[in-house]
């Protein structure tokens, strides 16, 4: 089986920084895309950042220039460095990975349980 576990959330003041981590483990053959989503209270879940296996990245307009996504393929881990945080960045952040399980064909998305990020003074 596969597990996806996020860490690194917490409470930070406006203008501060946080680094989220997400590690995938289990019978993984390969990982394609790795995404960070977030969901604020009363709002739909939105894609924050994406990184492909080749290292190409995409960001939501609202975080462009403030957030940086990166990955360590040897550790099956994706990171989200969040700088210049704003109160509107407050949300539960979820990791999603498109991966292929060993012995199977095709890619499936696996989700983590989420980690809370609160930006408040």
């Amino acid at each position: 089986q596969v597990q996806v576990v996020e860490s690194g959330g917490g409470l930070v003041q406006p203008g501060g920084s946080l680094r989220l981590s997400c590690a995938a483990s289990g019978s993984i053959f390969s990982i394609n895309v790795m995404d960070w989503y977030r969901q604020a209270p009363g709002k739909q879940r939105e894609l924050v950042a994406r990184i492909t296996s080749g290292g190409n990245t995409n960001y939501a307009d609202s975080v462009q220039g403030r957030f940086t996504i990166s990955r360590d393929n040897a550790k099956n881990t994706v990171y989200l460095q969040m700088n210049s945080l704003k109160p509107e960045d407050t949300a539960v952040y979820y990791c999603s990975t498109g991966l292929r399980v060993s012995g199977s064909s095709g890619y499936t998305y696996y989700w983590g349980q989420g980690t809370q990020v609160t930006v408040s003074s």
Side-chain angles (χ1 to χ4, degrees):
Q1 290 296 338
V2 173
Q3 283 191 318
V4 177
V5 179
E6 303 103 335
S7 61
L11 173 65
V12 64
Q13 292 187 342
S17 299
L18 278 176
R19 188 193 195 207
L20 306 182
S21 300
C22 169
S25 61
S27 301
I28 298 170
F29 179 78
S30 65
I31 298 178
N32 188 3
V33 295
M34 304 186 84
D35 300 331
W36 284 100
Y37 284 79
R38 68 185 180 187
Q39 187 167 19
K43 294 188 177 181
Q44 289 188 331
R45 190 172 297 189
E46 63 171 345
L47 178 63
V48 175
R50 166 170 290 173
I51 186 167
T52 68
S53 57
N56 293 317
T57 58
N58 293 99
Y59 297 92
D61 289 342
S62 57
V63 307
Q64 183 76 45
R66 299 188 297 120
F67 290 10
T68 302
I69 189 170
S70 61
R71 63 191 283 173
D72 184 334
N73 291 328
K75 297 181 179 179
N76 290 337
T77 298
V78 62
Y79 306 96
L80 186 68
Q81 178 66 43
M82 304 185 294
N83 299 328
S84 302
L85 283 161
K86 305 175 181 179
E88 51 264 43
D89 294 318
T90 296
V92 178
Y93 284 70
Y94 297 91
C95 172
S96 174
T97 65
L99 61 86
R100 179 179 169 186
V101 175
S102 299
S104 69
S105 61
Y107 286 82
T108 303
Y109 273 90
Y110 288 81
W111 291 79
Q113 80 289 350
T115 185
Q116 177 70 46
V117 171
T118 303
V119 185
S120 175
S121 55

